Amino acid sequence: MQDMARLDVTEMFHGISFPGHLHTQESLQLALRFPFRDTDVLIVSYPKSGTTWMQEILTLVSSRGDPHLNQTVPNWTRAPWLEQYYSAAVLEASSATQRTITTHLPHHLLGPALQGSKAKVIYVSRNPKDVVVSFYHFHKMANFLPGAGTFDEFLNRFLEGTLNFGSWFDHIKGWTSQTASMDNLLHVTYEEMSLDLHGAIRRVSSFLQCPLVEEEVNKSVQHCSFASMKNNNMVNYTLIAHEIMDHSKGSFMRNGKTGEWKKMFTEEQNQYFESVFKSKMHDCTEFVWEVQDQEETHAKEHISL
Ligand code: PPS
């Protein structure tokens, strides 16, 4: 993962920018033609939505709560990103009967490759206001991403859909609109994992038809807590050279909370966000989002940001 530098290269693919450090035109093309197996499990997310957390959960579920793999194999080897250049080699070398694969690609690009496949898809989403804050901080430490600029500039780029990996709105709409027609798709939110990690792990394990006993769930909960993952160098990206990810400028496992956007957004930015959100998401009748502040313990709000 550290061989190919290309830190200043951006690959433009179907109108979306991807970091050239990990993506090439060829690797992106290959992803769109990927021969999925019915036994594959695919984690799909827009960046900073809880991808790494779900990778950790899937490893623990398949190991029945035993953290050995989580503590000895980096997450990008356990669950490689389909569109990144090293994944073909990793997947070829994999002897797993059930492969876990990760992707940030939007549905309009990856949907055709999945057509007709029984591969299981887990879509992970997060309150977009927290996504943008997390992504902003990540841009400051990840030297393979363009400069973050001011938060105001960054927020505009997020809302326009011009950041790397494209539009959050296209991503969420594209994938969640498939939930009615794809019975092999499970939507899990970051907020749900924050609120009830035990329940989320149970839901994921039953979706994968890999039910765990209580003790196995409890062990999984323990090993994919924020504190465990922050200290696990197989998942906290401290194995990556500091020229690529500068840990003096921030941590990948930054703070792992919900509702942190409130400390970052001005009232004006919030109003602007709300207006763009409303105009872009107005046609999403099926779109269910439960967002809850950590300090609030009751009542789930429906599409409340
Ligand atoms: S990436 O770059 O797309 O793979 O990033 P992703 O893994 O999707 O998102 C990173 C954010 O997820 C937080 N995270 C967690 N939060 C709570 N508990 C656990 N176990 C956990 N693991 C990862 C991580 O801290 C990033 O969020 P922020 O808000 O920046 O802290």
Side-chain angles (χ1 to χ4, degrees):
M1 187 167 172
Q2 312 204 13
D3 301 336
M4 195 176 79
R6 305 205 320 150
L7 294 176
D8 296 326
V9 178
T10 295
E11 291 290 353
M12 189 57 96
F13 184 71
H14 289 260
I16 300 176
S17 312
F18 291 90
H21 167 54
L22 295 167
H23 304 80
T24 61
Q25 290 295 322
E26 196 196 0
S27 71
L28 288 156
Q29 283 292 354
L30 278 175
L32 305 201
R33 297 197 297 269
F34 186 71
F36 284 99
R37 296 182 192 158
D38 289 350
T39 47
D40 288 339
V41 181
L42 182 67
I43 301 171
V44 183
S45 63
Y46 187 83
K48 314 325 279 185
S49 301
T51 325
T52 319
W53 204 355
M54 188 55 77
Q55 289 174 327
E56 209 64 357
I57 291 175
L58 291 196
T59 306
L60 285 161
V61 167
S62 58
S63 313
R64 305 198 149 275
D66 176 350
H68 178 71
L69 281 178
N70 299 65
Q71 292 168 353
T72 51
V73 183
N75 63 315
W76 60 85
T77 305
R78 286 185 263 129
W81 273 260
L82 184 61
E83 59 275 19
Q84 298 183 354
Y85 75 92
Y86 58 84
S87 71
V90 172
L91 291 169
E92 222 159 87
S94 164
S95 57
T97 43
Q98 188 174 59
R99 303 182 297 186
T100 304
I101 305 168
T102 308
T103 185
H104 288 318
L105 291 176
H107 183 265
H108 69 271
L109 293 185
L110 198 59
L114 279 167
Q115 194 98 51
S117 162
K118 293 194 181 72
K120 290 189 160 54
V121 178
I122 301 181
Y123 187 70
V124 189
S125 72
R126 183 181 190 183
N127 182 341
K129 292 180 186 173
D130 285 331
V131 169
V132 71
V133 170
S134 178
F135 212 9
Y136 175 67
H137 289 290
F138 189 55
H139 272 65
K140 294 190 176 184
M141 70 171 301
N143 289 334
F144 54 84
L145 289 168
T150 65
F151 182 65
D152 207 51
E153 287 159 1
F154 191 83
L155 185 59
N156 277 318
R157 279 152 65 200
F158 178 83
L159 293 172
E160 283 165 9
T162 51
L163 290 175
N164 274 229
F165 303 97
S167 160
W168 178 87
F169 298 97
D170 290 349
H171 204 280
I172 190 113
K173 289 202 277 189
W175 284 103
T176 59
S177 64
Q178 303 303 310
T179 43
S181 58
M182 278 173 76
D183 55 8
N184 53 349
L185 188 148
L186 179 76
H187 182 180
V188 180
T189 66
Y190 181 99
E191 290 70 26
E192 174 188 348
M193 296 192 282
S194 295
L195 206 59
D196 179 11
L197 186 52
H198 190 282
I201 292 173
R202 276 220 175 280
R203 205 154 83 86
V204 167
S205 65
S206 76
F207 174 70
L208 298 179
Q209 287 158 332
C210 181
L212 304 182
V213 299
E214 188 62 12
E215 195 202 332
E216 294 166 343
V217 180
N218 289 339
K219 273 167 72 184
S220 303
V221 168
Q222 181 195 331
H223 294 296
C224 68
S225 69
F226 183 74
S228 299
M229 287 177 60
K230 194 172 172 68
N231 286 324
N232 180 359
N233 62 12
M234 291 297 140
V235 79
N236 65 13
Y237 287 91
T238 52
L239 293 179
I240 302 293
H242 77 271
E243 292 80 14
I244 296 170
M245 267 194 213
D246 188 345
H247 284 265
S248 70
K249 295 194 180 141
S251 306
F252 182 89
M253 298 287 164
R254 196 178 56 91
N255 74 12
K257 293 190 176 147
T258 59
E260 284 288 291
W261 65 267
K262 290 176 194 160
K263 296 188 181 146
M264 194 80 182
F265 279 49
T266 62
E267 187 48 42
E268 200 184 358
Q269 286 166 343
N270 192 34
Q271 278 173 16
Y272 181 53
F273 193 107
E274 294 281 337
S275 69
V276 175
F277 185 90
K278 283 197 182 91
S279 76
K280 298 224 190 235
M281 303 299 285
H282 69 94
D283 52 346
C284 297
T285 49
E286 293 302 312
F287 187 62
V288 175
W289 197 324
E290 290 168 352
V291 180
Q292 195 167 28
D293 291 340
Q294 281 186 332
E295 57 273 16
E296 289 169 16
T297 48
H298 303 297
K300 291 176 178 168
E301 292 171 45
H302 191 73
I303 314 192
S304 164
L305 298 169

